[in-house]
Amino acid sequence: LGDADTGSEAGSSTMAEVVTASIRAEKLGKRSPLHQFRMRVWLTFTEMDSSALARYVSVVVMGTTLLSVVTFVAASCPVGGCHWVHDAGGVLPVGDRWCPDSDGMRYGDLRPIQIMETMCVAIFTIEYVLRLCCCTVVMPLHHFLFDTLNIVDLAAVMPWYIKALLNAVGASGDARFVGV
């Protein structure tokens, strides 16, 4: 069998890899169309190199992550800006932050920022739910649910849903603390 058996040539496959790939393809062919579809969806959302669509999805999710971080930072800034007190003639303590134009309002209270945050959460939720629905083709459900990165993904969107729930039941008060 020569070099193909040892895998010594760059880019060549071993006989075991060829046989394994052949068996995998044969088994996939015997799977139901639903199973095959779920496997394709799983690969699209977890393996960037599995297809052109997977690369596109990966870029969209990474871009959404960047937009979400920028939106989170912007949402925490007071409208009108602030400055540090150097000398207020004794009215304010030196070293405090003074936000004269904000009236307690932050950029996160503005509709465009809220819309961007909602769009990001929607994209993250769709991605998480699709991976959740398809995970059992490659692993038991509890492995997916207790995987550290999946817990982080869930924790990243939960504050938005908690705030929405609090607003829906009229118990929101100042629900900004939830997003921290």
Side-chain angles (χ1 to χ4, degrees), residues 22-102:
S22 174
I23 291 170
R24 229 183 280 138
E26 185 178 312
K27 282 183 180 177
L28 188 59
K30 291 181 181 178
R31 302 287 183 165
S32 71
L34 177 61
H35 180 87
Q36 291 178 20
F37 174 75
R38 289 176 63 217
M39 179 58 94
R40 285 190 185 104
V41 170
W42 174 260
L43 290 173
T44 299
F45 283 93
T46 61
E47 299 292 332
M48 167 178 184
D49 296 328
S50 65
S51 68
L53 177 61
R55 282 187 290 281
Y56 175 75
V57 166
S58 180
V59 167
V60 168
V61 170
M62 284 188 279
T64 303
T65 303
L66 180 62
L67 177 63
S68 179
V69 169
V70 169
T71 301
F72 182 80
V73 170
S76 68
C77 296
V79 174
C82 295
H83 56 276
W84 294 101
V85 176
H86 297 291
D87 181 27
V91 177
L92 294 172
V94 173
D96 275 5
R97 222 170 87 168
W98 185 43
C99 310
D101 300 324
S102 72

Side-chain angles (χ1 to χ4, degrees), residues 84-165:
W84 294 101
V85 176
H86 297 291
D87 181 27
V91 177
L92 294 172
V94 173
D96 275 5
R97 222 170 87 168
W98 185 43
C99 310
D101 300 324
S102 72
D103 293 329
M105 189 169 175
R106 300 194 178 278
Y107 283 107
D109 300 327
L110 301 176
R111 192 75 182 138
I113 296 289
Q114 293 172 349
I115 290 170
M116 283 190 284
E117 180 183 12
T118 301
M119 288 178 8
C120 290
V121 168
I123 290 169
F124 293 144
T125 301
I126 290 167
E127 182 220 9
Y128 182 85
V129 168
L130 286 172
R131 287 188 297 117
L132 176 66
C133 291
C134 297
C135 72
T136 57
V137 298
V138 294
M139 70 179 77
L141 180 62
H142 68 277
H143 285 192
F144 179 87
L145 293 174
F146 294 108
D147 179 71
T148 304
L149 293 178
N150 293 328
I151 292 170
V152 169
D153 288 347
L154 188 59
V157 297
M158 286 310 295
W160 187 92
Y161 287 104
I162 292 169
K163 285 194 297 187
L165 179 65

Side-chain angles (χ1 to χ4, degrees), residues 167-178:
N167 286 333
V169 298
S172 64
D174 185 10
R176 277 190 272 207
F177 74 92
V178 176

